[in-house]
Amino acid sequence: MSALDRWLHEGWLRPVDHALADTLRRLRPDTPEPVLLAAALASHALAFGHGQLPLARAAELFLEIDADRPPPVMPELESWLEAVASSPWVQSPADAPDHNAPLVFEYGQIYLRRYWRYEQSLADALRARTLAAPALAVDAAWRQARLAELFPLLANDPGDAQAAAASALLDTRLLLLTGGPGTGKTTTVTRALVLAVEAGQRAGRPTPRIVLAAPTGKAAARLAESLRENLATLLANGAITQDVAACLPTQASTLHRLLGWRAGGTGFAHDGANPLRADWVVVDEASMVDLPLMAKLVAAVAPDAGLLLVGDPDQLPSVETGDVLAALCDRASVLPRVHLHRVHRQDAGLGVGALAEHIRDGDVEAVMASLQAGTAAGVSWQPGTDRGLPAAALAAALPAYRAVQQAADPADALERAKSFRLLTALRDGASGSQALNARIADALRPVGERDQRLFAGALLMVTANSPRHGLFNGDIGVAWPDELGQLRVWFDAGDSDGPRAWLPAALPAHEFAFALTVHKSQGSEFGEVFLALPERGARVLSRELLYTGLTRCRRGVTLWASETALREGLGRGAQRWSGLAARLR
């Protein structure tokens, strides 16, 4: 048995990885096996979010696949590198663009060609955007005076980052606006767009076409809601006119909807040849955007339009390939960036922010000391077990979800659902969201409806994009009777008409949403959070997962985790192998 076949048999490769390498073997039977193994591992690396595989670190990939077994015997590294570099299945960056080999080998890293091209095209497009001239010249005196009116903190802090971001937006066609939870990113976006609209009006330009987007439906809804609230505040304070407010969008869409997602995997309607009809494209929660989607997004933004990417690079990277926002924010990056530090939003006295900083920095002892001493206000650590988790989770969740069932109408129910959420590190297993969702649903389901899956007040999350329905992966709705008493599932439409109702049988793929994985919670915010980690730890545990889960709360968080799992997670970063940061230097 060849090593390729043996690795499949032993579970080191997926069938899809083996199939790729086996195709190369059938087409060229003389292909050296080290090349076949490299191709299969480059494919398997994608399953863990890596856009490439450094062959010298292949043993680390095997640890990700199964940390409980010793890795298989691999080819000797030097001969492996030589075999890959000389293979006709492999091209180097110096080869002609039409070479079209399925693999690319660069600086010891092996890529599937498609992902190498995503990296290259994204880096080229972003660099070109930074070199583009600003849209218009802005009078310096007016700019400074208007910044002082829109950002009152500027009077006491000449280096106020929010004002600096708004000013920078006038001078570039690309800006990264980053910051942790509560640092005022959306507030800054609103005021920056106001400044851009007013500058255009002073220059006699047409009203700019501004579009708002985010990776998920709930993140898009939050972005639009926050922008509307900020505009209302500015209007109430007399800081802007109704005419200016009317120029800003009050709705946001998912990126798939914005780009014109086509069913059947045929790509997007908007691309470089058919760019978006927008003067400004604002994308929130950019840390959730994977490499292929970011490359397609940037290609679809017209060269003379502006792109504002907003997010927190310390959060979990995208579920799919790449850690794009972190790469764009790399210290050696040439891209313009403003980072917000001052926390404005979280309740006074809440200690999550300081704890999150220790987690982000990997300061294990500082985190453990704070949790053990209980000095992080609003954070309760319960070093529990998997066996004890269901009872503790039900005790925390049922009061909040019964309050949802007692709502006046579906809009009220959706609002009440924001007050609490159970978050998990895993989807499967005793501490996973699936098992906990089933337990919570059973406890909430009325006695007379035990044979029915859905019931009034049940929270549901869409798990597949469905443009036909206008529903996308991550959208959360609530089951609620309509005026005729028929159970429907209601989703926030993000407009003044209130939630929209769907027949349960007509919904795309969905599941209960009483418990969410931390990955699925990105882009959301809840009053209280119960964060559950598996007792014995797991590969998915990382600093980024802890940081993201804890910072979903506004008022407080309960952390259910063994010390072993905590230390394991704090000691691991969610590293992604990628060449994007290097290409931007």
Side-chain angles (χ1 to χ4, degrees):
M1 182 184 292
S2 69
L4 179 68
D5 297 332
R6 187 170 61 253
W7 285 11
L8 174 66
H9 178 72
E10 294 174 351
W12 297 113
L13 298 177
R14 302 170 300 168
V16 67
D17 310 321
H18 181 272
L20 168 65
D22 192 47
T23 299
L24 303 185
R25 180 169 57 181
R26 285 187 289 102
L27 292 174
R28 285 182 178 269
D30 61 342
T31 301
E33 188 156 62
V35 175
L36 302 177
L37 297 176
L41 290 179
S43 172
H44 203 165
L46 295 174
F48 299 94
H50 303 302
Q52 54 160 245
L53 172 66
L55 288 180
R57 303 178 68 176
E60 296 177 39
L61 179 62
F62 285 117
L63 283 175
E64 290 192 81
I65 297 169
D66 189 345
D68 296 328
R69 291 190 288 160
V73 176
M74 289 172 282
E76 189 272 328
L77 181 59
E78 186 173 348
S79 62
W80 200 2
L81 295 171
E82 291 177 358
V84 169
S86 60
S87 171
W89 290 124
V90 179
Q91 73 179 70
S92 76
D95 291 333
D98 60 354
H99 187 281
N100 282 337
L103 304 170
V104 175
F105 188 59
E106 182 179 33
Y107 303 119
Q109 282 83 234
I110 187 79
Y111 289 84
L112 298 189
R113 185 184 71 236
R114 181 159 53 116
Y115 287 86
W116 180 84
R117 285 183 171 172
Y118 284 140
E119 273 193 8
Q120 192 68 47
S121 64
L122 177 58
D124 289 347
L126 290 172
R127 279 198 303 267
R129 194 167 289 278
T130 64
L131 299 175
L136 49 85
V138 180
D139 176 75
W142 174 84
R143 180 200 304 235
Q144 197 59 33
R146 198 69 184 102
L147 284 171
E149 293 168 350
L150 291 170
F151 298 94
L153 292 177
L154 191 60
N156 298 319
D157 180 9
D160 179 61
Q162 290 185 319
S167 182
L169 194 65
L170 299 177
D171 300 325
T172 181
R173 297 192 190 276
L174 171 70
L175 182 64
L176 309 178
L177 176 62
T178 62
T183 52
K185 295 188 291 293
T186 312
T187 297
T188 305
V189 167
T190 307
R191 287 160 172 74
L193 292 176
V194 164
L195 194 69
V197 166
E198 293 178 342
Q201 289 178 338
R202 285 174 55 84
R205 298 291 184 89
T207 300
R209 295 164 296 184
I210 302 170
V211 297
L212 308 176
T216 66
K218 60 180 178 290
R222 277 194 60 216
L223 171 62
E225 179 184 18
S226 181
L227 191 138
R228 290 193 299 266
E229 291 173 352
N230 275 283
L231 284 178
T233 299
L234 290 172
L235 281 168
N237 295 341
I240 62 172
T241 65
Q242 185 63 54
D243 178 56
V244 169
C247 295
L248 270 69
T250 56
Q251 303 299 319
S253 72
T254 64
L255 286 173
H256 284 78
R257 187 183 295 136
L258 174 69
L259 295 175
W261 186 80
R262 292 169 172 160
T266 57
F268 293 105
H270 293 288
D271 54 19
N274 180 32
L276 293 163
R277 298 188 70 241
D279 299 298
W280 275 103
V281 177
V282 180
V283 179
D284 198 12
E285 298 292 348
S287 65
M288 300 169 64
V289 184
D290 59 48
L291 174 63
L293 185 56
M294 186 67 82
K296 293 170 184 177
L297 166 68
V298 174
V301 178
D304 60 349
L307 175 61
L308 175 58
L309 298 176
V310 186
D312 183 352
D314 296 314
Q315 285 191 33
L316 277 168
S318 64
V319 177
E320 303 298 334
T321 307
D323 190 358
V324 178
L325 184 62
L328 303 188
C329 296
D330 185 275
R331 284 177 295 178
S333 174
V334 298
L335 305 182
R337 175 193 179 197
V338 177
H339 186 70
L340 307 179
H341 295 276
R342 185 183 290 120
V343 176
H344 301 272
R345 187 186 66 212
Q346 289 177 331
D347 288 358
L350 184 62
V352 169
L355 185 64
E357 288 185 10
H358 291 315
I359 292 171
R360 181 195 62 203
D361 297 338
D363 193 338
V364 178
E365 298 310 320
V367 173
M368 296 309 303
S370 177
L371 292 175
Q372 289 164 348
T375 54
V379 180
S380 172
W381 177 37
Q382 298 184 22
T385 64
D386 286 351
R387 174 177 288 187
L389 173 59
L394 286 171
L398 291 183
Y401 293 141
R402 284 182 175 135
V404 173
Q405 292 182 299
Q406 296 164 5
D409 51 46
D412 185 31
L414 287 169
E415 187 63 30
R416 291 187 183 205
K418 298 175 184 177
S419 67
F420 174 86
R421 199 57 46 99
L422 176 60
L423 303 183
T424 67
L426 303 174
R427 174 180 169 82
D428 302 315
S431 64
S433 60
Q434 290 286 82
L436 293 171
N437 266 321
R439 285 180 176 267
I440 294 170
D442 286 345
L444 293 173
R445 188 176 287 109
V447 174
E449 301 176 21
R450 294 299 187 189
D451 60 338
Q452 299 180 27
R453 179 174 181 269
L454 287 188
F455 52 91
L459 300 179
L460 299 176
M461 180 177 63
V462 174
T463 58
N465 293 326
S466 180
R468 178 171 64 89
H469 293 84
L471 296 172
F472 292 84
N473 188 3
D475 287 353
I476 290 182
V478 64
W480 202 264
D482 62 14
E483 64 275 7
L484 299 177
Q486 299 298 309
L487 199 64
R488 300 286 186 263
V489 182
W490 304 74
F491 291 86
D492 189 349
D495 55 38
S496 58
D497 294 333
R500 294 171 59 197
W502 295 98
L503 285 169
L507 289 178
H510 58 278
E511 59 189 30
F512 286 122
F514 302 110
L516 302 176
T517 62
V518 174
H519 263 294
K520 288 291 188 181
S521 76
Q522 285 185 268
S524 299
E525 183 183 79
F526 310 100
E528 302 281 342
V529 163
F530 186 105
L531 174 59
L533 305 186
E535 179 182 353
R536 292 179 178 82
R539 183 189 59 81
V540 299
L541 290 184
S542 65
R543 291 187 292 274
E544 290 82 359
L545 183 138
L546 286 166
Y547 174 94
T548 303
L550 288 171
T551 55
R552 296 309 89 202
C553 77
R554 291 192 67 166
R555 296 190 299 272
V557 58
T558 297
L559 176 60
W560 182 274
S562 68
E563 183 171 346
T564 299
L566 272 175
R567 288 186 176 274
E568 180 180 339
L570 291 166
R572 180 188 293 128
Q575 180 190 28
R576 297 283 175 88
W577 291 321
S578 162
L580 181 58
R583 296 185 199 285
L584 290 168
R585 294 176 191 140

